[in-house]
């Protein structure tokens, strides 16, 4: 949509559940490699400090990890061999 409108995205704020933040930033970095992203995760019941203390939270976090692996495995295999996709991990500023 931004390409069709001729919009160059230089900076963007990504607002999502904290559980989805890693997958969200990975997708957007893939589509907009020159853009600087700021992640503004919303609060949910669990945090990076306590997600492992309750069965349902463990299931949610590990389920998200499985989706990241499955979806990105397919995406990365479909990229052209000469793709400039940068696989190094970018530090993501937080609010």
């Amino acid at each position: 949509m931004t390409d069709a409108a001729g919009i160059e995205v230089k900076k963007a704020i990504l607002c999502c559940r904290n559980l989805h933040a890693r997958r969200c930033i990975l997708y957007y970095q893939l589509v907009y490699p020159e853009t600087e992203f700021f992640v503004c995760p919303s609060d949910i019941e669990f945090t990076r400090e306590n997600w492992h203390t309750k069965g349902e939270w463990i299931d949610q976090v590990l389920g998200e990890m499985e989706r990241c692996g499955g979806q990105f495995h397919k995406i990365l295999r479909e990229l052209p061999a000469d793709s400039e996709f940068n696989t190094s991990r970018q530090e993501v500023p937080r609010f």
Side-chain angles (χ1 to χ4, degrees):
M1 177 183 257
T2 55
D3 290 345
I7 298 171
E8 180 183 352
V9 181
K10 294 179 183 178
K11 294 183 180 185
I13 299 172
L14 303 176
C15 299
C16 59
R17 290 182 65 193
N18 59 2
L19 176 65
H20 302 295
R22 174 56 51 200
R23 184 164 41 128
C24 183
I25 190 75
L26 288 172
Y27 272 122
Y28 278 96
Q29 286 174 335
L30 184 64
V31 176
Y32 298 99
E34 302 300 318
T35 301
E36 180 180 7
F37 293 97
F38 300 89
V39 178
C40 183
S42 63
D43 293 329
I44 55 176
E45 293 178 72
F46 56 88
T47 66
R48 72 173 75 183
E49 289 82 20
N50 71 359
W51 67 269
H52 62 279
T53 62
K54 219 172 167 182
E56 71 181 79
W57 296 349
I58 292 170
D59 292 343
Q60 288 181 31
V61 170
L62 295 182
E64 181 65 14
M65 288 176 63
E66 289 173 5
R67 286 184 288 282
C68 283
Q71 291 172 0
F72 281 95
H73 183 264
K74 181 179 178 185
I75 288 170
L76 294 176
R77 288 178 75 56
E78 293 175 357
L79 286 176
D82 61 347
S83 171
E84 294 184 23
F85 178 66
N86 181 359
T87 57
S88 65
R89 191 169 171 180
Q90 174 185 340
E91 187 62 32
V92 179
R94 294 180 178 251
F95 289 102

